[in-house]
Structure formats: C-alpha cells, structure tokens
Amino acid sequence: MWPYSTPALEGKPLQTIIDALMEAERVQPGSHSWTYNPWIEQPQKTLAVFVIDCAAILLVAYSYRGDPAVNWFMLLAALFMFGMTLSLLVPIGYTLDEKGVTVRFLGVPSFRQWQHYRNVYVHKNGVFLTSMRKPSGLDPFRGHFLLLTSENRDVIVLYAKRHIKAET
C-alpha cells in the first residue's frame, strides 16, 4: 500500500494527489511536541465544565446544610467532580517522535511505541490512536486521544498516519 494513500484521495484528480503528497512531505521526521490548553482552545466549553462542577459542589453543600459534616461532603463532591472532569480543565502535553507517543498529564508521562497502535481515527477535535484493528467498544480503554490545535492538526494527522499502518 502506498504510504500516503487515504480513502479520501481515491478517484481524485492528479493535482489533488500531488498536493496531498507535498503536504505529507512537509511533515519532517523527528519529533513534534505541543501542549493542548483547553482554556485557550475551547474557553466557553471549559468555563461551562468549571461552572457545572462548582454548581454541583454548591448543591451538595446546600443539601447538607445544618449538618456538621458538610465540609467533608463538599470536599468529597469537589474531589469527585473535578477528578472526573480534570482532563477537560488542565493542559495536556504531547510528543510524537520516531519511537512513539508520549502523553503528559499533570506532569506524568505515558509512553506507547508506534507498534502498539493498529489504527488511526481522525475526529473534529483530535486524532484517536487505538490498538484495535477494527472499531470496538474497548477503544476508549486501549488508545490515546490526542487533542489537536488548529495550527498543528494537519501535520500531526499525517505524522500519525505515516507511522501507523492500518490493518484491515
């Protein structure tokens, strides 16, 4: 299979294929690093998540008013709410290199070699790298969703597709 072929290019005019090839060649080997900051990329969505978290905590505080243990319930509610939505509130760092993918969340790196991944799915806000050959309900537990910025989207998608050969 030609390394730059995609279903989107099949049956397209020659100039479109040449443009895609030139774009792919623009992706130089080496490493690509970026940090996705939700407060910069999607401020309205991030603010909405933060407000909903705070409202849920205040609702817990209100429902337990008069109880001396209310502070513990508020702390527990805060841990649960912010713990579940933390990836929507804090920056996440990514590094793609010739060895594999490193995701840094709260300063803790998670590394996977390119051989770990079997497929690439491009989404509106990022690219999903999975170890499953076909779409599966286990995908969220077996891969990495790389949140992309508008500046690096095309380069990162091409870089990932270059390193992951889809198996059918």
Side-chain angles (χ1 to χ4, degrees):
M1 183 172 155
W2 186 50
Y4 307 116
S5 67
T6 62
L9 293 179
E10 292 177 13
K12 298 289 182 180
L14 182 59
Q15 186 59 45
T16 305
I17 295 172
I18 291 171
D19 292 342
L21 178 59
M22 291 176 69
E23 179 69 21
E25 290 302 322
R26 185 171 67 96
V27 180
Q28 298 298 319
S31 70
H32 295 277
S33 294
W34 73 99
T35 299
Y36 180 88
N37 187 338
W39 291 97
I40 293 172
E41 298 296 326
Q42 295 181 331
Q44 294 88 4
K45 178 181 174 183
T46 308
L47 182 62
V49 169
F50 184 77
V51 168
I52 290 170
D53 285 355
C54 290
I57 294 165
L58 292 175
L59 182 65
V60 168
Y62 181 75
S63 66
Y64 285 100
R65 69 187 180 282
D67 188 345
V70 71
N71 292 336
W72 291 109
F73 286 115
M74 277 184 54
L75 180 63
L76 190 61
L79 287 174
F80 280 131
M81 291 303 294
F82 284 110
M84 289 186 299
T85 59
L86 198 56
S87 64
L88 301 172
L89 298 170
V90 299
I92 302 172
Y94 302 98
T95 302
L96 278 62
D97 58 22
E98 295 300 319
K99 295 177 185 176
V101 177
T102 303
V103 179
R104 291 174 313 284
F105 182 67
L106 295 177
V108 178
S110 171
F111 175 78
R112 296 282 187 273
Q113 295 181 349
W114 287 114
Q115 293 81 12
H116 174 78
Y117 301 110
R118 301 269 190 260
N119 221 331
V120 179
Y121 302 113
V122 180
H123 295 275
K124 178 181 163 189
N125 296 327
V127 61
F128 186 71
L129 311 177
T130 180
S131 62
M132 308 298 279
R133 293 179 184 183
K134 297 178 183 176
S136 165
L138 295 175
D139 278 344
F141 307 102
R142 304 283 175 123
H144 281 130
F145 187 78
L146 309 180
L147 292 163
L148 303 176
T149 63
S150 56
E151 294 86 33
N152 70 353
R153 180 180 177 77
D154 297 334
V155 171
I156 298 303
V157 168
L158 290 168
Y159 192 84
K161 285 184 177 184
R162 176 183 280 180
H163 284 85
I164 299 171
K165 308 294 187 261
E167 298 179 13
T168 56

